[in-house]
Structures are given as C-alpha cells and as structure tokens.
C-alpha cells in the first residue's frame, strides 16, 4: 500500500544519494541502444583457449574497443533468460520462484521502453523463438515494447534452426533489414539462442571441435560459445556497413550461467582448478561489454550485477534519476564505495568478500574469514530482496502511475 511505497522510496533515495556522478554521464545522449543477450555465456570463456584455440576470438578483440566489466555477475533465478530481461528492463530483482514474466505479466511497470519513450525512443525486441515462450508477447506489452520480432517474422526452416529456434548467424542476418527500418533513436534488444543447453550444433557450424571430458554438456558448450562469437562478429560486420553503427552504442552481456554445478567435475578439468564454494559464486560472473564507436577501450573493475545495467545505460544516455522510480541499480561507471551484489538466494558479494552457504570468504585469498566481515551487509541484502518482492507482489507501480 501507500506506506510501503513511502518506505521503499525512502530506502532507495538514501541508497542513491551515495553515488557520485560519473565522467561518462550523457556521452551517448540520443544514440540508439543495441543490447545483445549472450545466451548462457559465462565470464570464464573470455580469453580462454581450449586445444590452443580461442573460444571467443571476436569478443576478445571487442573487449579492447569497449568498456569491459570483468566483475559483473548475473542475478537470475528460475526464470533464466526472462529473469535477465526482467532485471535489466526494470532494475528489480527476479522472484525467488518461477518467472515474473509468467507470474505477474499484468502488473504496472516503469520499464526501460516506457522511460525512454519520454526521450522519443522506439523499443523493439528480436528473438528467433516462438513469441509465447516465457510469455514474452504479453509481458512485452506491459514493459512498453513497440514491436517484438519473433519466430514468425523470420524464415525459419530445418536447415537454419536447431534446439529452440533460429541459429544465431541467420538470426542476425535476417534481423538487419528490420533493424534498419526502425524509427530512430531506438532501444533494441537481441536475444541469442544457439548457445543454449544442451548445446547442440551441426558439424558444419562447429568452428572448434568439441572437448573430450566425460561430460558431453561441457564438451559441447565451448563449441556453441565459439559459434555465438562468430554470429556476433557477423552482426558487427553487417552493421558497420550501415549508418546505424556510428549512431548506436552496443551493450553485450551474458544472461545467466550455462554450466550448472552438476557438471563441475568436467568444468574444473577444463578450467584447471578445483571449484570451491567461493569459486562457485565467481563462476556466476558473466561478461559485459559496452562498445561505443569512436571511444577507446577500458577495463572497468567495478563489482556489479545485472540490476545495475539499466542505471549504467541511462548514465551514458544522460537519462535522469527522477525517471527511475523503484530502481535498485546504480551506474557501474559512477564512483561509489562499498558496492554490493545481491543474489536471489541471499548469497552476496562485495569487492572484498563473498557470503555463501552461511560462510564469509575473502575474495583475495579465497579462505574463510570472520563472520563480522560480512555481517554489516546482512540487513541491506534482506532489504533489497524484500522491497523488490513487495513491489512485484503488491503491484506497487500502480501508486506511482496515479
Ligand atoms: C528461449 C530462450 C532461452 O526463448 O530465451 O530461454 P532460457 O532457457 O535460457 O530461459
Ligand atoms: Mn537464457
């Protein structure tokens, strides 16, 4: 109710007061925003070589021409890709069970497309799977998308599809004419699909051979990530041939993990080390690149999560904080001390500590440390998750829209 709205607003205002304006504020004002969801792509594939071959040769190069965030974590739960979409478009946490897309699609939201509408942006989503998957068609309406290009907008046949739908290379290829025809400026998101469990790929699409551990999922993963990398490369080649390239910024990030705990034996063999409780949290890092044509590359070491991505994009676009009611994230480009990344199950990390399975760990040494290093964050962790849940279950944006 209204008193909850006041309490949460107070909490968030206090939180956001801490931040210092970044040096990047407004540098991409008015540009198109192209967000690419890298399906199941975890941070460890970047700069990784298997059998002496790079897994992501294109992304490794793109890194040098982008803001690159090596300490960025996914925060998804059971809603997987739909959670990633929900988090990024709303700067809220996903639910502990199920997907907000399926459970609360009729809520009021103040999502990115709606906020950007005030800045004359058009919003579209591109995805080579059925429009009803994850209830997207319905939810996108609530989020304010103007157009959803889904399976029915593409030429999808047996040859150019695998697993859930259209392969990434033809997906980007067929998307180009649609993208070029959008009113500008636009906010466009592309959801890739080929690097999806159980990581299937036809022999002719395999740019590196599968590995030979005794877990096929791990063996195939590196090969499908390599295919995805090739698809991103082909997308950049095509868009560089258009005038869109210089008028756009590109945000690429991993939506969630691809290799679950159950495959840790084979994964640890490939990574060359044992996977501890602390490593398990670090494995939830996903790559994040923000490529702004004409701008030099830079590694941004800020610790953050998907919840911070919208604030980061808005920082670059110069979109004001006052447009962001109930927004939990803070820009990864702003200098803020003592950042906190909260995972849905209550696990959390700062730049120095990890709290997981009831134990506090030092990130530096990997060893257990005294609980009082982590306990100062306990309250905030609970507040973040509880307040976000209250907004969703109470449909609290209703009160803002009045
Ligand atoms: C399906 C795609 C993959 O449309 O978003 O879904 P996931 O299983 O990763 O949530
Ligand atoms: Mn996914």
């Amino acid at each position: 109710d209204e008193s909850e709205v006041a309490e949460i607003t107070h909490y968030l205002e206090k939180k956001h007061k801490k931040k210092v304006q970044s040096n990047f504020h407004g540098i991409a004002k008015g540009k198109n925003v192209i967000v690419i969801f890298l399906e199941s792509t975890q941070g460890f594939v970047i700069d990784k070589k298997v059998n002496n071959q790079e897994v992501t040769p294109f992304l490794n190069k793109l890194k040098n021409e982008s803001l690159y965030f090596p300490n960025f974590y996914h925060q998804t739960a059971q809603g997987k890709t739909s959670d990633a979409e929900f988090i990024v478009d709303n700067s809220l946490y996903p639910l502990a069970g199920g997907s907000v897309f399926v459970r609360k699609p009729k809520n009021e939201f103040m999502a990115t497309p709606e906020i950007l509408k005030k800045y004359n942006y058009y919003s579209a989503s591109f995805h080579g799977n059925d429009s009803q998957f994850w209830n997207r068609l319905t939810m996108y309406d609530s989020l304010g998308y103007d157009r959803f290009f889904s399976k029915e907008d593409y030429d999808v046949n047996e040859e150019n599809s695998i697993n859930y739908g259209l392969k990434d290379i033809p997906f980007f290829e067929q998307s180009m004419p649609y993208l070029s025809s959008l009113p500008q400026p636009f906010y466009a998101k592309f959801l890739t699909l080929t690097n999806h469990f159980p990581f299937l790929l036809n022999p002719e699409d395999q740019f590196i051979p599968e590995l030979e551990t005794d877990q096929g999922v791990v063996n195939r993963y590196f090969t499908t990530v390599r295919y995805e990398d090739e698809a991103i490369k082909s997308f950049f080649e095509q868009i560089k041939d258009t005038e869109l390239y210089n008028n756009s910024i590109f945000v690429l990030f991993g939506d969630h993990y691809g290799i679950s705990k159950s495959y840790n034996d084979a994964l640890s063999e490939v990574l060359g080390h044992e996977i501890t409780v602390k490593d398990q949290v670090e494995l939830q890092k996903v790559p994040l690149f923000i490529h702004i044509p004409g701008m030099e590359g830079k590694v941004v070491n800020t610790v953050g999560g998907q919840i911070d991505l919208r604030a980061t994009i808005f920082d670059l676009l110069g979109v004001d904080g006052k447009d962001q009611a109930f927004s939990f994230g803070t820009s990864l480009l702003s200098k803020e001390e003592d950042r906190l990344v909260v995972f849905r199950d209550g696990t959390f990390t700062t730049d120095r500590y990890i709290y997981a399975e009831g134990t506090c760990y030092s990130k530096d040494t990997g060893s257990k440390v005294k609980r009082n290093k982590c306990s100062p964050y306990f309250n905030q962790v609970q507040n973040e998750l509880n307040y976000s849940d209250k907004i969703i279950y109470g449909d609290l944006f209703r009160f803002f829209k009045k």
Side-chain angles (χ1 to χ4, degrees):
D1 60 4
E2 312 244 5
S3 72
E4 282 175 333
V5 173
E7 184 184 342
I8 299 169
T9 305
H10 177 73
Y11 170 79
L12 290 172
E13 275 173 0
K14 223 168 108 188
K15 175 177 182 179
H16 294 312
K17 225 177 246 159
K18 284 200 296 183
K19 76 170 175 234
V20 184
Q21 174 122 338
S22 81
N23 299 328
F24 294 84
H25 196 74
I27 64 160
K29 199 177 203 130
K31 299 251 187 209
N32 303 314
V33 181
I34 296 173
V35 182
I36 301 177
F37 283 60
L38 302 169
E39 176 60 41
S40 302
T41 305
Q42 287 174 256
F44 62 73
V45 299
I46 304 300
D47 285 328
K48 174 76 184 163
K49 278 189 176 176
V50 292
N51 300 320
N52 231 5
Q53 286 181 290
E54 287 174 283
V55 180
T56 57
F58 178 75
L59 292 176
N60 295 346
K61 280 196 214 96
L62 185 73
K63 183 159 61 81
N64 302 324
E65 305 158 19
S66 306
L67 301 171
Y68 178 66
F69 302 79
N71 297 309
F72 181 75
Y73 297 79
H74 86 81
Q75 293 167 298
T76 64
Q78 290 170 349
K80 307 303 291 283
T81 308
S82 73
D83 277 355
E85 290 187 73
F86 179 74
I87 300 167
V88 171
D89 274 347
N90 297 284
S91 200
L92 294 169
Y93 292 89
L95 291 175
S99 161
V100 186
F101 271 42
V102 177
R103 298 182 61 190
K104 296 286 171 190
K106 297 290 186 186
N107 271 14
E108 287 288 349
F109 293 104
M110 217 183 275
T112 303
E114 268 183 283
I115 294 171
L116 289 182
K117 212 155 271 174
K118 296 186 209 155
Y119 295 77
N120 287 317
Y121 275 72
Y122 183 92
S123 295
S125 177
F126 297 77
H127 187 44
N129 191 4
D130 298 319
S131 64
Q132 303 291 349
F133 201 95
W134 280 129
N135 203 26
R136 283 189 177 100
L137 194 60
T138 305
M139 183 63 167
Y140 280 177
D141 215 37
S142 300
L143 298 178
Y145 280 91
D146 297 300
R147 180 73 160 93
F148 179 22
F149 297 95
S150 68
K151 197 173 211 162
E152 61 200 44
D153 296 287
Y154 295 93
D155 170 25
V156 184
N157 52 53
E158 203 164 315
E159 214 164 86
N160 69 12
S161 63
I162 195 154
N163 208 354
Y164 280 89
L166 189 57
K167 296 178 194 173
D168 293 342
I169 291 177
F171 166 60
F172 282 117
E173 200 174 5
Q174 293 185 38
S175 296
M176 278 312 294
Y178 292 134
L179 186 66
S180 298
S181 71
L182 296 186
Q184 296 185 54
F186 58 70
Y187 173 79
K189 66 174 172 184
F190 288 85
L191 312 178
T192 62
L193 196 51
T194 308
N195 186 43
H196 192 287
F197 187 88
F199 313 112
L200 310 175
L201 208 54
N202 304 323
E204 66 271 20
D205 296 319
Q206 302 184 359
F207 296 92
I208 56 171
E210 293 172 1
L211 299 184
E212 285 171 359
T213 73
D214 51 23
Q215 289 180 312
V217 163
V218 172
N219 298 347
R220 294 189 297 274
Y221 180 71
F222 290 89
T223 306
T224 50
V225 171
R226 177 63 185 83
Y227 172 86
E228 176 187 77
D229 182 81
E230 197 70 22
I232 303 294
K233 177 183 168 187
S234 76
F235 171 69
F236 271 89
E237 282 171 358
Q238 291 166 73
I239 198 160
K240 276 186 175 174
D241 279 342
T242 74
E243 55 182 3
L244 286 179
Y245 179 68
N246 283 314
N247 297 327
S248 304
I249 67 168
F250 300 84
V251 179
L252 296 85
F253 76 101
D255 67 345
H256 50 72
Y257 67 78
I259 303 295
S260 77
K261 253 187 180 169
S262 5
Y263 304 100
N264 272 359
D265 282 349
L267 184 62
S268 73
E269 194 182 317
V270 180
L271 298 181
H273 64 83
E274 181 202 354
I275 298 170
T276 63
V277 172
K278 175 228 161 216
D279 294 333
Q280 193 59 43
V281 177
E282 294 298 65
L283 283 175
Q284 307 315 308
K285 284 183 178 173
V286 290
L288 166 63
F289 310 79
I290 301 182
H291 177 69
I292 304 177
M295 198 172 119
E296 262 176 50
K298 180 177 153 73
V299 175
V300 183
N301 283 307
T302 314
V303 171
Q306 287 168 333
I307 206 141
D308 300 310
L309 192 49
R310 181 169 90 172
T312 309
I313 294 170
F314 283 178
D315 193 7
L316 292 165
L317 296 180
V319 168
D320 292 341
K322 66 168 161 44
D323 293 323
Q324 302 173 51
F326 290 152
S327 187
F328 285 77
T330 52
S331 171
L332 298 167
L333 299 166
S334 82
K335 287 176 204 68
E336 187 205 329
E337 304 289 304
D338 217 14
R339 297 182 60 99
L340 178 66
V341 182
V342 178
F343 301 98
R344 184 61 249 193
D345 64 357
T347 299
F348 64 85
T349 181
T350 67
D351 60 346
R352 300 180 62 191
Y353 302 109
I354 286 176
Y355 184 78
E357 297 184 11
T359 305
C360 191
Y361 297 87
S362 154
K363 270 177 142 167
D364 259 7
T365 65
S367 43
K368 294 184 184 178
V369 294
K370 286 219 175 76
R371 194 175 175 80
N372 66 10
K373 301 286 186 205
C374 284
S375 54
Y377 302 99
F378 288 173
N379 251 331
Q380 196 189 337
V381 169
Q382 284 319 312
N383 280 338
E384 292 272 311
L385 296 171
N386 290 343
Y387 286 149
S388 179
D389 283 350
K390 275 188 175 166
I391 293 166
I392 298 168
Y393 286 121
D395 195 5
L396 296 187
F397 279 105
R398 283 175 304 143
F399 295 98
F400 263 101
K401 299 230 157 158
K402 276 201 300 214

